[in-house]
Amino acid sequence: MDITILQAVLLGITYWLAVGNLPFVGLWSLQRPLVCGFIAGIILGDPVQGAVVGGAINLVYLGFMSAGGSMPADMGLAGVLGTTYAIAGGLDTATSLAIAVPIGILGTIVWYGRMTFDSIFVHMADNYIENGEYDKIWRANVLFPQMLCFAATVIPCALAAYFGASYIQGILDLLSGTILRIFQVIGGIMPALGIAITLMYIYKGEAKVFLFIGFILAVYSHLSLLTLGIIALLTAVVYVQVTEANAKTAVTVNDDEEDDDL
């Protein structure tokens, strides 16, 4: 399918909202490939396929961590463009995964470029403070960084969506055969990698017992995923409450022992 200029711009705006750190959207909602893939599907007229492809891409990033401002991959861009190319080119899930992951790695260029140029606005804020212009600090803190983010995300993403989608079928024809099958195999492995990374974090300390309980419950109870999710949520709430209560009890006991010693 051909992508219009309006659709390309809307896809770019979706990417900007996903990584722009705006209130209520961004890193913990729209940035997830499942969500931004679904939005991309709505823009392209196929929300179901967008959710399916976005959900598949999301599996790769289940163990995603961004510590200290580092960005190992841009899953927002992977979700938007990966879904766009999948719908525009009629790709299967495995092939779209193999394309989306490199796109996510390239997206880190946008992230680190933003972080580098955003440092300029910090010095601008310092100047506003030194001059007593406190009413202008919001410009350096919000306005200018968001203008930079808008330009650095909307423009390249829109161009990639508009021009890239028209060439995706030709690229697939060029790669047809063994090379395309290799891409499909790699794409099929990617979700397993994301799940394995997640299990590495789960399988530590006291959390590992819940992994086995959940596995046994899922296999033998034949409950729906929604029911299992609710049970898992309630179990987590009870566990946190019990842990906090035990911690408070331990602190109280220690305080009483210190008072007795005095």
Side-chain angles (χ1 to χ4, degrees):
M1 63 172 291
D2 294 328
I3 294 180
T4 65
I5 295 178
L6 177 60
Q7 287 175 324
V9 172
L10 291 176
L11 290 168
I13 293 175
T14 301
Y15 175 47
W16 166 57
L17 294 174
V19 299
N21 292 335
L22 295 171
F24 307 111
V25 295
L27 299 183
W28 304 111
S29 55
L30 190 57
Q31 190 191 28
R32 305 297 159 177
L34 173 60
V35 182
C36 59
F38 174 67
I39 300 299
I42 293 176
I43 295 172
L44 298 176
D46 195 347
V48 175
Q49 182 65 11
V52 170
V53 175
I57 296 173
N58 209 135
L59 290 174
V60 180
Y61 299 100
L62 283 178
F64 179 86
M65 290 187 64
S66 177
S70 64
M71 183 64 68
D74 191 340
M75 57 180 172
L77 186 62
V80 173
L81 288 183
T83 304
T84 299
Y85 293 155
I87 295 176
L91 307 181
D92 59 80
T93 303
T95 306
S96 61
L97 274 174
I99 294 175
V101 172
I103 291 175
I105 296 175
L106 289 175
T108 59
I109 298 175
V110 176
W111 175 266
Y112 289 116
R114 283 177 52 208
M115 295 300 102
T116 300
F117 287 105
D118 278 348
S119 61
I120 298 174
F121 305 130
V122 176
H123 298 295
M124 294 178 60
D126 291 337
N127 291 331
Y128 289 144
I129 295 173
E130 291 176 359
N131 297 329
E133 299 173 320
Y134 302 110
D135 59 322
K136 296 182 180 180
I137 296 177
W138 73 275
R139 300 180 185 179
N141 190 40
V142 178
L143 179 61
F144 298 145
Q146 284 302 324
M147 291 174 61
L148 172 64
C149 181
F150 186 88
T153 55
V154 174
I155 295 175
C157 183
L159 291 176
Y162 184 73
F163 292 104
S166 61
Y167 291 106
I168 190 66
Q169 190 58 53
I171 294 174
L172 291 176
D173 293 338
L174 181 65
L175 298 176
S176 61
T178 304
I179 298 178
L180 186 58
R181 284 197 295 271
I182 292 174
F183 272 90
Q184 291 172 340
V185 171
I186 294 173
I189 295 174
M190 288 299 177
L193 178 62
I195 294 173
I197 294 174
T198 304
L199 290 177
M200 289 177 60
Y201 294 111
I202 295 176
Y203 199 75
K204 291 182 179 179
E206 299 176 353
K208 66 179 67 174
V209 66
F210 295 106
L211 173 64
F212 292 109
I213 293 175
F215 179 80
I216 294 173
L217 189 62
V219 172
Y220 294 104
S221 68
H222 303 293
L223 296 174
S224 65
L225 289 177
L226 178 60
T227 304
L228 291 172
I230 294 174
I231 293 174
L233 176 62
L234 295 176
T235 302
V237 171
V238 172
Y239 175 76
V240 171
Q241 291 176 340
V242 172
T243 303
E244 291 180 349
N246 291 337
K248 292 179 180 178
T249 301
V251 171
T252 303
V253 171
N254 292 332
D255 292 340
D256 292 340
E257 290 179 351
E258 290 178 0
D259 293 338
D260 293 338
D261 293 338
L262 294 176

